[in-house]
Amino acid sequence: MVVSFIGMKSQELAIKPNLNISLKPDTETLDEVIVVAYGTAKKSSFTGSASSIKADKLEARVVSNVTNALSGQVAGVQSMSTNGQPGKSAKIRIRGIGSMSSSNDPLYVVDGVPYDGDIASINPADIENMTVLKDAAANAIYGARGANGVILITTKSGQQGEAKITVDAKWGSNKRAVPNYDVMTSPAQYYETMYRALYNAKAYNGSTAEEAHAYANKNLLDTNNGGLGYQVYTVPNGQNLIGTDFKLNPNATLGYSDGEYYYTPDNWYDEIFGKGNLRQEYNITVSGKTDKLSYFASAGYLDDSGIIDNSSFTRYTGRGKVDYQAKSWLKVGTNIAYTYQNMHSPESQDNWGSSGNLFYVTNLIAPIYPMYVRNPDGTLAVNSSTGNLVYDNGSTSTNSKRAFMNMARPAGNIAMDRYNTYTDAISGKWYAIITPLEGLSLTANIAANVSNDRTNNLYSRWGGSNTTSDGSTYVKHERDYGINTQYLASYIHTFAEKHNIDLLVGYELYKYKNQLLSGTNDHLYDPFIGELNNAGGTSNKKAESYTDNYMTEGILSRVQYNYDGKYFLSASYRRDASSRFSKDNRWGNFGSIGGAWLMTQENFMKGLKWIDMLKAKVSWGVQGNDHLLMTLGGVSYNNWYAYQDQFKVTYSEDTKQYSLVNLYKGNKDLTWETSYAFNAGIDFELFGSRLNGTIEYFSRKTVDLLYNQPVPLSSGISIGSIPQNVGSIMNKGIEIDLNGVIIRNKNFEWDMNFNLTHYSNKITDLADNVKETGIKGSSYIYEIGGSLYESYLKSYAGVDKTTGSALYYIDPDNGDYETTDDWSKAQLAHQGNTLPKVYGGLGTSLSAYGFDFSIQMAYQLGGRIYDGTYQAIMHTGFSSMAGTNWSKDILKAWTPENPNTDVPRLCASDNSYQLDSNRFLTSSDYLSLNNITLGYTLPKKWMRAMQISNLRLYVTADNLAVLSARKGLDPRMSLGTGSSTTSGNYTYSPMRTIAGGLTVTF
């Protein structure tokens, strides 16, 4: 008897009354097909570097934006969620950082066509798999747009058989994933600590103890002299709040009334983040496939409420995908998706120091301040016009003045203001494939992405931002239109049974247009309508509009050859043009060459039964990058016309003349940033395919870097820089990706996976005028031999045990390790590369008797991050920081009784103890628990009576926890260097989502 099954090795056995047959995988026949540039390829024949994530891995994650599901999944990929607002994309970096002023973002390709829309518009439930192309052999054929790697997204298609209907529904709750720092929560402890800071300001500057106590008592609440401003304790007449023992008066009672208002502190953190917010998602698909027709249709609804009030992401999606074999020689198809989404995203949630940033304020506000205004009897005050609670802004709302964020009431902003961005997005692809003769295919692809965004912000007169202008509004309409056309010809043929060739040639044209119209107005007539015509308008009334155009075109070709399934060669060439450059420097030439050897096909390997597959591969290629950015007001923008001078137009009513202000100086000699990438690796399958993986070495040298070179103010250029091609950067490292089956039998399977990436980043050349000195910033330095993430800060030398003063090394870079307590005399010094030494992910999955269980984690080791929030909460009590909360670590501050500490003494007259230095460089190591999922699929025999083919119940926890060097610190949100205003936990925090759901298939 012969027993066979697709993908398994056949067995021939003698017939017996009882047989126990176990088939082994046949890796020669079951060869995974992966999606690659402009088509598919067998993994065994692929000469490049690529990793795929299947639908089941994506479906386990409860995310609104599929980029957030990449963390820890793919070797060589770093995912940074810089903003936890629902719907926001993660920053993705593939194999390092390759540019100074140009974009480091990868190219996204959806169903074979470059995609320029918002990734949030793609429903993760529609995705069949994602493939990350990492080396030049894999992505050089995309030319200029693939320099930073390519992420291929393939949407689901109909599978062979009758129509299948799948319904998936999940309900869950969002909470803040990363807690606040370990800060003071006791009002008494905070007052006591502030009192000591004021006392020390005099006691260590020549005053007697009696004078110092008198000074501290007098100024503790006086905001004009560095005090806090709010009294929330009632103290008997004639007594002080804090005694000479630095302790709260035992006769003091919490709560204080001045006869008009009652003051008691609120727990801002619990008020804002104490409740869970609902998340619900529903998806339904209908799909099937016959000999000629394949179809897939889906509809989805998502309501993700975020973790703060009036912050949410709502999305409706619909997709239709049809492929039809119209004739034996003609196949046509279309894939159209529509998305409507509303991102309710409060402003300023990623701005350090912004009074509207609820995360910044909640993390840093002292535990003595009320959030709400209270009546004299202690009841919460209510606005008579709106019926809403009245929020304390620290100044005009009561008789007290707040030292921290005076005039700000971010909770009022969130409650009363409205920030909405409505998006209609249509993404469509139409194609036709003609096969006039065997092996030859002619393909035409036309794809369009159209997005219309309307931003409508209402700043209420009762919120926190426009109380003096009766409210205001900002309205913006932005239209993005991109069309991509491809004309491809491919020819596949086998000669003499062993020579296999695959040829591709093509032409690709891409056009993009961005149009914006915006306006602002104030003094709203109806305070609840945020439209421009609902406002009276003052000098703040304005409107603006612009249109940007961009275009690329390219000629591409690729040849792939293999001999007898053993030896593989590939080569690609592409010639690209970009409208960002002048016509004399517009065209660039890019390409790659790669080879692979499938050693297990050789006769000398046949005896090694434990090796199922062993392949060596190597590739080299050249790619370009034209994506130059420019920064205005701290925000990065695309520079579509980098070779042209750009001006601002003004008009004088007095002179009736126009005038031009030079905003940007173009450079006609500007040309492509070019990367030279090398990759070598081994793919393997061992022990009956129980263990498979890849080990790769890579290097990428980027030359002619696109860089905005600073120019002096005397140049008259407002933006302060000129685009140049200067310098070069090298990234090189190794990747390890392993997947193993620990146990597999009839009823039980246990799998594990692990990946690791190590890379280094080095600047190898700079512009001639800075080769010797480097480019120095306030916290970083670019210099030959260093990294793009080289920290450059003053060096902290600890605490003077005699005085408690902070000490700094004067000039360690030049060998001067003398110390000074004068921060201004210390010189900036090299603090080393802050990038992690290794990063990656690991996970495991089990399935048994209908149950399935999986865990997925990500990690990072050996890097550092500047913890600006910790810096802020380790302040000295200096007047500019009064009212800012303290980390409990401040209790370790120097005192005569505690001289052996690295925390300087509290001193409200000196802020240098807290200024930028390497004291606040912190380990960026972390281990994050990205996902845990437990599911149960009911036995099919139970479902047949209800005509259900499959029913699975599951519960999943996403972004469950992160372990880091310090409570409150989330190293996943940024890379490397920074200062107090650019680093720390002050942006929209990542969310923890726990959800349950069911999937039903009919």
Side-chain angles (χ1 to χ4, degrees):
M1 180 175 64
V2 176
V3 180
S4 63
F5 187 80
I6 295 174
M8 313 298 284
K9 293 181 178 179
S10 299
Q11 287 197 39
E12 186 173 336
L13 307 101
I15 298 175
K16 297 180 180 180
N18 295 293
L19 291 173
N20 186 5
I21 303 170
S22 178
L23 300 182
K24 295 182 178 180
D26 185 354
T27 57
E28 294 180 6
T29 60
L30 185 60
D31 193 354
E32 181 183 359
V33 176
I34 61 174
V35 179
V36 297
Y38 300 99
T40 60
K42 288 185 177 181
K43 193 171 182 179
S44 62
S45 66
F46 186 54
T47 63
S49 177
S51 296
S52 294
I53 307 171
K54 301 299 184 185
D56 59 336
K57 298 292 184 183
L58 299 174
E59 290 167 358
R61 300 297 304 272
V62 188
V63 295
S64 303
N65 190 307
V66 74
T67 59
N68 291 298
L70 289 174
S71 175
Q73 295 277 19
V74 179
V77 174
Q78 286 173 291
S79 173
M80 292 162 288
S81 297
T82 58
N83 190 321
Q85 162 72 34
K88 288 285 189 180
S89 297
K91 282 188 177 180
I92 304 299
R93 299 291 179 261
I94 299 175
R95 289 187 167 180
I97 312 297
S99 186
M100 288 184 181
S101 297
S102 190
S103 171
N104 285 286
D105 295 334
L107 169 68
Y108 291 90
V109 176
V110 178
D111 291 324
V113 179
Y115 180 78
D116 49 42
D118 184 355
I119 298 298
S121 296
I122 300 176
N123 187 347
D126 286 348
I127 297 176
E128 180 65 32
N129 65 64
M130 296 175 68
T131 302
V132 181
L133 306 182
K134 297 180 282 189
D135 75 325
N139 56 40
I141 197 168
Y142 285 110
R145 302 170 72 184
N148 296 310
V150 179
I151 297 178
L152 305 178
I153 297 176
T154 303
T155 59
K156 293 177 179 178
S157 300
Q159 302 300 310
Q160 192 70 43
E162 64 180 15
K164 182 172 70 172
I165 301 172
T166 302
V167 179
D168 180 78
K170 56 174 72 81
W171 305 267
S173 176
N174 295 327
K175 283 198 172 183
R176 184 169 178 171
V178 180
N180 200 3
Y181 285 71
D182 191 14
V183 294
M184 292 183 179
T185 56
S186 165
Q189 189 178 58
Y190 188 85
Y191 277 123
E192 292 167 353
T193 308
M194 186 65 195
Y195 182 93
R196 184 179 288 275
L198 291 166
Y199 172 88
N200 287 349
K202 291 298 182 182
Y204 291 93
N205 284 286
S207 298
T208 65
E210 183 179 2
E211 291 170 335
H213 279 297
Y215 175 81
N217 273 308
K218 177 183 177 182
N219 294 292
L220 181 62
L221 303 178
D222 187 352
T223 56
N224 295 320
N225 289 289
L228 302 172
Y230 268 61
Q231 180 173 329
V232 294
Y233 282 92
T234 300
V235 182
N237 290 333
Q239 297 184 23
N240 293 320
L241 180 62
I242 307 296
T244 56
D245 61 351
F246 300 100
K247 296 298 182 180
L248 182 75
N249 187 330
N251 298 318
T253 57
L254 188 62
Y256 171 75
S257 176
D258 61 7
E260 187 176 359
Y261 299 98
Y262 183 81
Y263 305 92
T264 189
D266 289 300
N267 188 320
W268 288 56
Y269 191 90
D270 287 348
E271 290 289 325
I272 299 302
F273 305 112
K275 57 185 182 294
N277 291 334
L278 178 67
R279 183 188 195 277
Q280 54 183 327
E281 183 176 4
Y282 310 94
N283 291 289
I284 182 169
T285 65
V286 179
S287 63
K289 186 177 181 180
T290 65
D291 292 340
K292 289 190 175 184
L293 179 67
S294 170
Y295 56 92
F296 173 87
S298 73
Y301 169 73
L302 168 68
D303 180 20
D304 196 344
S305 57
I307 54 176
I308 59 176
D309 289 342
N310 294 315
S311 163
S312 62
F313 180 71
T314 303
R315 180 179 62 205
Y316 297 84
T317 60
R319 180 179 295 274
K321 188 175 183 180
V322 178
D323 302 286
Y324 180 58
Q325 191 72 48
K327 298 288 184 181
S328 60
W329 51 268
L330 174 64
K331 185 177 183 180
V332 294
T334 184
N335 184 357
I336 300 177
Y338 169 75
T339 300
Y340 166 79
Q341 64 190 40
N342 176 16
M343 184 177 289
H344 196 171
S345 175
E347 284 188 334
S348 307
Q349 301 308 304
D350 56 358
N351 293 338
W352 174 276
S354 169
S355 61
N357 186 337
L358 196 57
F359 293 89
Y360 171 82
V361 175
T362 304
N363 289 339
L364 270 64
I365 195 166
I368 64 171
Y369 294 120
M371 177 183 287
Y372 307 103
V373 174
R374 288 174 170 83
N375 300 314
D377 62 356
T379 58
L380 296 173
V382 176
N383 187 301
S384 59
S385 300
T386 65
N388 294 314
L389 295 175
V390 180
Y391 293 89
D392 192 319
N393 72 358
S395 182
T396 59
S397 56
T398 66
N399 295 325
S400 291
K401 185 178 181 182
R402 190 170 63 211
F404 180 83
M405 286 291 172
N406 189 41
M407 292 294 293
R409 45 183 169 200
N413 289 17
I414 301 300
M416 303 301 298
D417 296 350
R418 294 293 180 265
Y419 311 84
N420 290 281
T421 298
Y422 308 96
T423 300
D424 292 291
I426 297 177
S427 174
K429 174 189 173 181
W430 301 264
Y431 77 88
I433 301 174
I434 299 174
T435 54
L437 53 91
E438 184 179 357
L440 177 63
S441 295
L442 305 177
T443 303
N445 292 318
I446 300 176
N449 294 302
V450 182
S451 174
N452 285 285
D453 298 334
R454 179 182 172 87
T455 298
N456 194 197
N457 295 346
L458 169 69
Y459 308 99
S460 169
R461 65 182 64 169
W462 298 294
S465 18
N466 273 275
T467 56
T468 60
S469 62
D470 279 339
S472 65
T473 185
Y474 169 74
V475 179
K476 180 180 76 171
H477 179 85
E478 186 169 10
R479 180 179 186 269
D480 290 290
Y481 170 76
I483 185 164
N484 194 290
T485 55
Q486 299 171 348
Y487 303 98
L488 309 171
S490 67
Y491 181 66
I492 301 173
H493 192 70
T494 298
F495 301 92
E497 297 185 351
K498 293 186 177 182
H499 299 275
N500 305 290
I501 192 167
D502 182 346
L503 302 176
L504 173 71
V505 294
Y507 170 79
E508 186 167 16
L509 177 68
Y510 172 70
K511 291 183 177 181
Y512 172 79
K513 176 177 287 189
N514 171 252
Q515 295 173 296
L516 181 142
L517 172 65
S518 67
T520 60
N521 210 346
D522 57 19
H523 288 83
L524 300 180
Y525 174 74
D526 186 324
F528 304 105
I529 298 177
E531 298 293 348
L532 298 177
N533 282 0
N534 178 50
T538 64
S539 58
N540 295 322
K541 182 178 182 179
K542 67 175 183 179
E544 62 181 355
S545 69
Y546 61 75
T547 297
D548 284 320
N549 291 282
Y550 171 65
M551 174 179 168
T552 65
E553 63 176 327
I555 303 167
L556 58 99
S557 61
R558 180 179 63 199
V559 56
Q560 298 180 107
Y561 167 81
N562 80 76
Y563 174 76
D564 199 23
K566 298 179 183 180
Y567 314 111
F568 304 88
L569 291 173
S570 67
S572 69
Y573 169 75
R574 178 159 180 152
R575 182 167 169 80
D576 260 340
S578 169
S579 63
R580 292 184 195 256
F581 306 128
S582 71
K583 60 181 181 180
D584 296 327
N585 295 292
R586 189 157 289 169
W587 288 91
N589 299 299
F590 313 105
S592 69
I593 186 169
W597 176 26
L598 191 58
M599 290 180 278
T600 40
Q601 292 293 87
E602 301 289 356
N603 291 330
F604 65 82
M605 296 287 290
K606 298 297 184 182
L608 300 176
K609 301 298 183 183
W610 60 279
I611 301 178
D612 303 293
M613 187 275 288
L614 185 64
K615 182 181 74 173
K617 60 186 179 182
V618 64
S619 66
W620 179 88
V622 183
Q623 296 168 270
N625 189 359
D626 68 341
H627 200 162
L628 182 67
L629 303 174
M630 63 179 177
T631 302
L632 290 171
V635 180
S636 292
Y637 298 91
N638 264 304
N639 191 346
W640 302 110
Y641 317 102
Y643 71 97
Q644 293 182 328
D645 293 347
Q646 297 167 39
F647 301 89
K648 178 181 179 181
V649 180
T650 62
Y651 179 76
S652 172
E653 288 286 354
D654 296 330
T655 64
K656 308 300 182 185
Q657 297 293 319
Y658 292 95
S659 63
L660 298 178
V661 176
N662 193 336
L663 288 178
Y664 185 91
K665 182 67 177 176
N667 181 359
K668 291 186 177 181
D669 295 326
L670 199 69
T671 189
W672 297 93
E673 183 177 277
T674 307
S675 295
Y676 299 88
F678 174 80
N679 188 81
I682 294 175
D683 297 338
F684 56 87
E685 290 184 11
L686 310 174
F687 313 119
S689 296
R690 285 293 187 93
L691 176 65
N692 68 79
T694 299
I695 301 174
E696 293 182 325
Y697 167 83
F698 64 87
S699 69
R700 176 165 65 124
K701 184 175 183 179
T702 308
V703 303
D704 292 331
L705 294 171
L706 292 170
Y707 178 64
N708 291 313
Q709 186 166 319
V711 294
L713 293 176
S714 58
S715 67
I717 301 172
S718 299
I719 202 171
S721 63
I722 296 178
Q724 301 278 0
N725 289 108
V726 295
S728 59
I729 296 170
M730 171 69 80
N731 289 276
K732 56 184 178 181
I734 59 170
E735 294 173 0
I736 300 174
D737 197 346
L738 301 174
N739 299 277
V741 179
I742 299 174
I743 299 174
R744 178 186 288 161
N745 57 41
K746 179 181 179 181
N747 296 312
F748 185 83
E749 182 169 332
W750 181 15
D751 301 333
M752 292 195 73
N753 61 81
F754 171 81
N755 68 75
L756 175 151
T757 303
H758 160 75
Y759 78 93
S760 61
N761 173 272
K762 182 189 291 186
I763 300 171
T764 54
D765 195 16
L766 287 171
D768 291 339
N769 63 323
V770 293
K771 277 188 177 181
E772 299 298 325
T773 61
I775 301 170
K776 298 177 181 178
S778 59
S779 61
Y780 66 89
I781 183 170
Y782 297 156
E783 60 182 351
I784 296 174
S787 165
L788 282 177
Y789 284 83
E790 185 80 19
S791 181
Y792 195 57
L793 296 160
K794 298 190 178 187
S795 299
Y796 184 61
V799 175
D800 188 317
K801 293 184 179 181
T802 304
T803 66
S805 297
L807 298 176
Y808 302 91
Y809 293 114
I810 292 178
D811 194 5
D813 274 358
N814 292 304
D816 187 350
Y817 285 91
E818 291 292 323
T819 61
T820 178
D821 61 1
D822 186 344
W823 181 87
S824 65
K825 291 182 179 179
Q827 302 299 308
L828 294 170
H830 292 77
Q831 307 299 339
N833 183 3
T834 61
L835 291 173
K837 298 294 187 293
V838 296
Y839 64 88
L842 65 158
T844 186
S845 62
L846 301 93
S847 60
Y849 302 99
F851 288 94
D852 60 90
F853 175 76
S854 64
I855 298 177
Q856 198 275 322
M857 295 179 285
Y859 67 89
Q860 177 175 286
L861 298 170
R864 291 183 296 169
I865 188 171
Y866 194 92
D867 194 347
T869 298
Y870 184 70
Q871 177 183 7
I873 57 179
M874 287 296 288
H875 62 95
T876 63
F878 190 70
S879 59
S880 64
M881 299 300 293
T884 303
N885 208 346
W886 266 298
S887 165
K888 290 182 180 178
D889 288 348
I890 204 68
L891 300 177
K892 303 173 186 176
W894 179 95
T895 64
E897 299 75 31
N898 180 37
N900 298 314
T901 179
D902 63 349
V903 181
R905 76 168 187 264
L906 286 163
C907 184
S909 63
D910 192 342
N911 71 332
S912 69
Y913 299 175
Q914 183 212 359
L915 296 177
D916 293 358
S917 74
N918 68 348
R919 175 186 172 194
F920 303 106
L921 275 177
T922 304
S923 169
S924 64
D925 296 356
Y926 72 81
L927 175 66
S928 66
L929 184 51
N930 291 346
N931 183 266
I932 298 179
T933 297
L934 173 64
Y936 178 65
T937 301
L938 276 67
K940 292 184 180 298
K941 62 182 179 181
W942 296 2
M943 299 294 103
R944 287 175 188 148
M946 294 183 287
Q947 297 186 334
I948 296 175
S949 61
N950 193 74
L951 174 60
R952 178 175 177 263
L953 307 174
Y954 60 89
V955 61
T956 182
D958 207 72
N959 201 19
L960 195 59
V962 59
L963 298 176
S964 63
R966 179 177 291 122
K967 178 186 174 183
L969 174 65
D970 188 356
R972 301 172 299 174
M973 299 189 77
S974 64
L975 279 178
T977 59
S979 65
S980 60
T981 57
T982 59
S983 296
N985 187 356
Y986 64 90
T987 62
Y988 198 114
S989 174
M991 297 183 297
R992 176 193 300 122
T993 303
I994 299 177
L998 57 89
T999 303
V1000 185
T1001 303
F1002 299 92

